[in-house]
Amino acid sequence: RRSTPLLRNRDGFTLIEVLAALLIVGLVFGLLLESVTANLDDLGRARLEARATQLAEERARQLAGEISAGAAIEDGESEGEYETPDEDLRWHVNVSKQTLELPADYPAKVSPSPLFAVPGASRPAASPDRIAPLRLVEVRVFAADTEPESATPFVLLVTAPPDPARLEELRKQREQAPPPEAPEAGETTP
């Protein structure tokens, strides 16, 4: 009589199959965990940037209000920290004089206004009693453990009030200038 091999019962998984499945599941969970952690870091950074942007906008609005109320604004840099709940953020304000460059082919050698600079011309020395007509105000809010340059600034351009002496000089020039001739009846002006 021949013996027939015993048929195995194939209702379950082998140990190798179970270990392979566990390895695959472990790798998938590891990759998912890494992805979720990176997304949470990005979310935290985005929240911090949104909060910093809001605080920078508020600080810029506050400065603009002070300036429009007539407060003097000093050139230079200033820094500060926020109080609770924003103690992890700092602010930095930089105020500097600005002039706008005229085109290189500008025909005159003298600027038409203190707001503009003629290319290649020497700039007059600033007198201490004269207020710069245009200032650039940069407001940055950033995390306490980073550098101010890492934050995108809110930028304001601030103009100084008109110089009273210059306004008086212009008024006198207008008074001394001959009045423009009125066109005679029937004439049209170009």
Side-chain angles (χ1 to χ4, degrees):
R1 189 175 184 208
R2 283 192 302 180
S3 67
T4 59
L6 295 174
L7 294 175
R8 287 193 198 175
N9 188 0
R10 297 285 293 163
D11 289 342
F13 296 104
T14 64
L15 182 60
I16 299 294
E17 291 172 334
V18 171
L19 289 176
L22 286 175
L23 178 66
I24 291 170
V25 168
L27 287 174
V28 168
F29 277 137
L31 292 174
L32 282 176
L33 183 62
E34 184 180 328
S35 175
V36 167
T37 304
N39 286 337
L40 287 176
D41 287 345
D42 290 345
L43 181 62
R45 196 170 18 264
R47 282 184 180 163
L48 180 73
E49 287 176 8
R51 219 169 76 227
T53 301
Q54 182 182 16
L55 290 171
E57 187 176 358
E58 286 175 13
R59 182 79 175 126
R61 212 176 297 124
Q62 177 188 13
L63 281 171
E66 290 172 8
I67 292 166
S68 65
I73 183 169
E74 297 292 325
D75 290 343
E77 295 184 18
S78 58
E79 285 189 6
E81 296 178 355
Y82 286 99
E83 295 177 3
T84 305
D86 299 313
E87 66 274 354
D88 58 336
L89 294 173
R90 299 177 50 81
W91 58 266
H92 181 267
V93 176
N94 184 19
V95 180
S96 58
K97 296 175 184 171
Q98 284 299 124
T99 54
L100 305 173
E101 292 289 330
L102 289 168
D105 59 348
Y106 186 73
K109 298 291 181 208
V110 178
S111 172
S113 162
L115 289 174
F116 299 100
V118 177
S122 64
R123 296 185 184 186
S127 61
D129 60 334
R130 183 175 171 117
I131 298 172
L134 185 64
R135 290 202 178 115
L136 176 70
V137 180
E138 295 176 285
V139 178
R140 298 174 191 263
V141 175
F142 53 95
D145 59 349
T146 61
E147 293 295 316
E149 291 76 26
S150 67
T152 304
F154 269 81
V155 177
L156 304 170
L157 283 175
V158 179
T159 57
D163 182 13
R166 178 72 176 138
L167 289 176
E168 183 62 26
E169 181 183 322
L170 291 172
R171 186 186 64 74
K172 286 181 181 178
Q173 286 176 358
R174 267 195 314 263
E175 288 175 355
Q176 292 174 356
E181 294 182 22
E184 294 185 24
E187 285 187 28
T188 60
T189 56

